[in-house]
Amino acid sequence: MTAFLSQLSVIVLYASLAVYAAAFISFAMDVAGRAVKVRAASDVTSAVARRAESALAREAGAAGQAGSGHLATMTKTANEVHEHITDVNFSRSQTVGMALTVVALAFELVADVLRGIAAGRVPWSDMYEFSMTGTVLITIVFLIMAKRYNLRFLGVFITGLVLVLMGISVTRYYVAVVPLPPALQSYWLVIHVLVAMGATGFFALGFALSVAQLMQARRETQIREKMPVTLRFLETLPGSNVLENLAYRVNITGFILWTFTLIAGAIWAEKAWGNYWGWDTKEVWTFIIWVLYAGFIHARATRGWRGSRSAWLAIVGFGAVMFNFGIVNVFFHGLHSYSGL
Amino acid sequence: MSLPSDHIDSTRPAPRLPAGQVTLGFRGWVRWFWRQLTSMHTAIFLLLLLAVAALPGSLIPQREADPNGVVQYQAAHPALTPILEKLQFFDVYTSVWFSAIYILLFISLIGCIIPRVKHHIDALRARPPRTPARLDRMPGYRTESIPAASLRGSQGAGDAIESATEVLRHAGYRTQFYADKHSISVSGERGYLRETGNLVFHIAIMAVLVAVGVGGGYGYSGEKIVMQGQTFVNTLVSYDSFNPGRFFTGERLSPYSLTLKDLAVRYETKNKAAIGQPLDYTAYVTARKPDGSQKADTVKVNTPLYIGGTNVYLLGNGYAPVITVRDPAGHVRYRQPVPFLPQDNNYTSIGVVKIADGLPAQVGIIGSFYPTAGASGGVPVSTFPGLRDPVLSLDVFKGDLGINDGVPRSVYTLDTNAMTQVSGPGVQQPAEQLRVGQTVKLPDGLGSVTFDGVKRYVSFTISHNPAQLWIFICSVFLVGGLLTALLVPRRRMWVKARQQRDGSVLLEYAGLARGDDPGLLAAVESITAAHRTALSGPAGPEPPAGPGGTRPAQPAPAPEVVGEES
Ligand code: HEM
């Protein structure tokens, strides 16, 4: 029964990855289509938008020195600019991409649940399972946030990330279902690991937003300096300030969950090993990630750091998250050697 | 002083050395330095530095977490070792440089927090600030007009503001009434909890670290191997190894005792991918408290036993073959279970027997134990961790054990420098192979060895941390503080009323976020709506302003910043 269910799980997972791939292509077509649309759009509208944008950029510069009143104005201006440019914001391929992502998620969720039933426990106790449940959560976080904040344009990144992670996982990390070793038989496995993966979902989205923010900031500079503008599709996306606010909101949610992960991990370590904190490699990396994101949060509130500099910190933070997941789990030795490899 | 001067919302100028001013004076320098140290820039810098400084400890084995790893690493990198030692890279987290960074961070934190606490206490007592002259520049600005026709009786600007105050109070705002030549207004502020949460969070970080330090200083941890049937008494002498905290005094040990009745182990036998994987370890013990009360209990992985102010953890286990050694005349010279250290997941184990007296020569035995004997590539190994076919194999040495000079030696290693091998690999006589109950004669007429049976042993780790509860409480504050600091919006809200020439009253609404506040525009909207209801409610059936009378100052803002739904 175990073998049958776990094989079924793999088949469903492959189906899910095929649908993710289709979703990825759809989202990519959407982005490509935006570039075309922007070029086709009349010069009049884009000139209007650009004027407003550069007004925004000027104001953003001014707000650096002024108090919070200007900040608020800045956000307002960003909103207005955004309203100018939403007319190219919806495309059929994007809608198809979203629908396909939902289907892919449904398949992956089934695969994940089947794996859990096959094992008779939660499906997150080796690298293969971490990847599967982790990407399920990344997609769920994306879908929820995309619904709330119109972040569909990030679909190309999220489905791409899921495909890369699961591609590596299926080819390199697959292991047969095994029972839980005594060290993992704890409700803390359920809480600690699940919350960590949820945090990863938010950090992934925050990373994508910060990258988009940097690209957008670069474009805004190009416009301000009257340089030739590259990556025209960005014109259809929110301005860098809006993206920054969103990145902040998403990343602090991740940070709250990560703080909880860290504390829950310490409590579990105390229960399992008799020591909250032993600077085990995995603990070190959990700590590094936490400190990096604390740095990001401070940077956002610091003159001279808000904007692109703080975005870089969020990007480095997510780099550490991925390193912790993909490299530390697999190649570093320590008490947390649960990759199953 | 409140926020650090380089905080984005701070109104203070950044600390800067006045141009051309060369002599600042000692106090000036101290003040300048202090401002630098407690600035946001420094906090970011130190945080990032801390992250970088923590890195090497994950790349190079650390003495505290992985002493064997350090030994191996040093053997593999003899040239690098002295440099790394000098730089304390094998003790990163207790090194001078790592400590320096976090101590600086704490000083910075304290320096940052104290003025903020003062400022926040003042803010809690202060009234909301004066309503801005021009609300139309503020986010969420909207207006409503109460036509003169629906102003009955005394209902004018004053009443409208009174009811707005009511509405704001109801929504959790602290309010203050203001008036100028042209208008009267109410200024509201809410979300003081945000700053409270932030301060609680930062203070809790320090409190956690203080508690961890105190717990480590006054606590202890130790290890003890206990054989089936043996009793461990919690006194200093009975530990195999003992790590006291810096301020630990022996009186803190509570002299309870634990007898290991049995260690139950279950292994996977069906799942082909996991044959032999342990499924459960349960140590059955009898716990006796100092007051004499006695109780049967269990210790499991992940479920420590709490007794006498300590936690008892089951962290390891293994086999202890019972070995009897007789002299040539047949007298028993040695008989005891010998704990063997497991070398792999199937419990291929190695142990040492040292017999100093009673035999024709000092004898040392290196034993290999296979709970389920088998072979892999010609090398004998255990093929299953359970006792399916236990075999004991002995390499025998004679000569000088090197234990007469009084220097303590590990019971798990045999120093064979001054000994000659009499059986085992490399000499003619093969290793002695024994199954339970079997006896072999030792070469050179040294006597005989009998393998009488096998017992299990457990390795208990016992620790006492007097600050455990405090660490937990501080962590709860830490998380709670963080949640309030990041999720409670701090915002100001204004309602201004102006009597128009035509007798109507113009109402203006606006808000201002202080910190990240995704819900600000929606909040202005809901205050406006609530105020409209309040004005129309008790006043009469006729609403003062219908849909036609309401005039949003700008296109109604979408509830969220990025925009709309498809
Ligand atoms: C132990 C090191 C520190 C850590 C882990 C840390 C962490 C954090 C976190 C997670 C936040 C966001 C949550 C909140 O707003 O309460 C925050 C905010 C803040 N921290 Fe720290 N902090 C540290 C040290 C400092 C220091 C030294 C300062 C003083 C310069 C400082 C000043 C602030 C300020 C002013 C905010 C509010 C930011 C805002 O307005 O958004 N922190 N800190």
Side-chain angles (χ1 to χ4, degrees), chain A residues 248 255 290 294 297-298 301, chain B residues 3-4 7 38-40 43 47 105-106 108-109 112 116 197-198 201-202 205 481-482 485-486:
Chain A
Y248 177 73
F255 181 80
W290 190 73
I297 292 173
H298 282 120
Chain B
L3 286 170
H7 188 281
T38 58
S39 75
M40 295 290 283
L47 281 169
L105 194 53
F106 280 129
S108 168
L109 186 51
C112 173
R116 281 176 66 195
N198 180 305
F201 168 79
H202 283 92
I205 290 181
L482 184 66
L486 291 178

Side-chain angles (χ1 to χ4, degrees), chain A residues 2 63-64 66-69 71-73 75-76 79-80 82-83 86 89-90 146-153 176-186 188 238 242-243 245-246 248-249 252-253 255-256 259-260 263 267-276 278-281 284-285 287-288 290-292 294-306 309 313 323 332, chain B residues 5-14 40-41 43-44 46-48 50-52 54-55 57-59 62 64-65 93 98 136-140 194 201-202 205 212 268 271 273-274 277-281 301-304 311 313-315 461 463 465 467-468 471-472 475-476 478-479 482-483 486-487 512-514 516-518 521 554-558 560-566:
Chain A
T2 297
S68 44
L71 267 179
T73 328
T75 319
K76 201 170 70 185
N79 265 331
E80 284 161 8
H82 183 60
E83 269 152 30
T86 43
N89 226 353
F90 298 101
K147 189 149 176 51
R148 277 189 66 180
Y149 295 113
N150 184 16
L151 296 179
R152 276 163 284 222
F153 63 93
V177 168
V178 297
L180 281 185
L184 291 186
Q185 293 168 11
S186 166
W188 286 109
V242 177
L243 291 170
N245 283 337
L246 279 169
Y248 177 73
R249 226 167 282 159
I252 59 170
T253 312
F255 181 80
I256 291 170
T259 306
F260 186 81
I263 291 173
I267 295 175
W268 188 10
E270 203 276 329
K271 258 199 156 20
W273 304 323
N275 195 355
Y276 320 96
W279 295 105
D280 178 67
T281 31
V284 172
W285 276 90
F287 174 77
I288 289 175
W290 190 73
V291 170
L292 284 174
F296 162 77
I297 292 173
H298 282 120
R300 251 270 309 195
T302 306
R303 253 178 234 162
W305 277 81
R306 178 168 284 201
R309 271 174 129 187
L313 279 184
F323 187 85
F332 285 33
Chain B
S5 56
D6 55 345
H7 188 281
I8 201 129
D9 291 338
S10 169
T11 46
R12 288 188 294 141
M40 295 290 283
H41 279 102
I44 298 173
L46 289 173
L47 281 169
L48 297 184
L50 191 66
V52 173
L55 251 174
S58 76
L59 304 172
Q62 296 297 295
E64 198 148 319
Y93 307 105
F98 193 79
D136 56 345
R137 290 200 172 155
M138 293 294 161
R194 188 184 182 89
F201 168 79
H202 283 92
I205 290 181
V212 167
E268 177 67 49
N271 182 338
Q277 189 198 300
L279 298 177
D280 183 50
Y281 301 116
V301 181
N302 270 316
T303 319
N311 279 313
Y313 301 89
L314 175 60
L315 286 197
T461 295
S463 74
N465 187 335
Q468 200 164 12
I471 297 173
F472 182 73
S475 309
V476 170
L478 192 152
V479 174
L482 184 66
L483 283 170
L486 291 178
L487 301 182
L512 177 67
R514 309 194 61 205
D516 182 64
D517 185 0
L521 302 184
Q554 59 187 48
E560 295 299 347
V561 183
V562 177
E564 56 299 275
E565 275 306 312
S566 58

Side-chain angles (χ1 to χ4, degrees), chain A residues 142 151 153-158 161 202-215 243 247 250-251 314-315 318:
Chain A
F142 165 66
L151 296 179
F153 63 93
L154 293 177
V156 66
F157 168 77
I158 294 294
L161 179 70
F202 282 96
F203 286 150
L205 198 62
F207 166 82
L209 283 163
S210 293
V211 171
Q213 174 200 335
L214 285 179
M215 287 162 61
L243 291 170
V250 169
N251 278 325
I315 288 169
F318 185 64

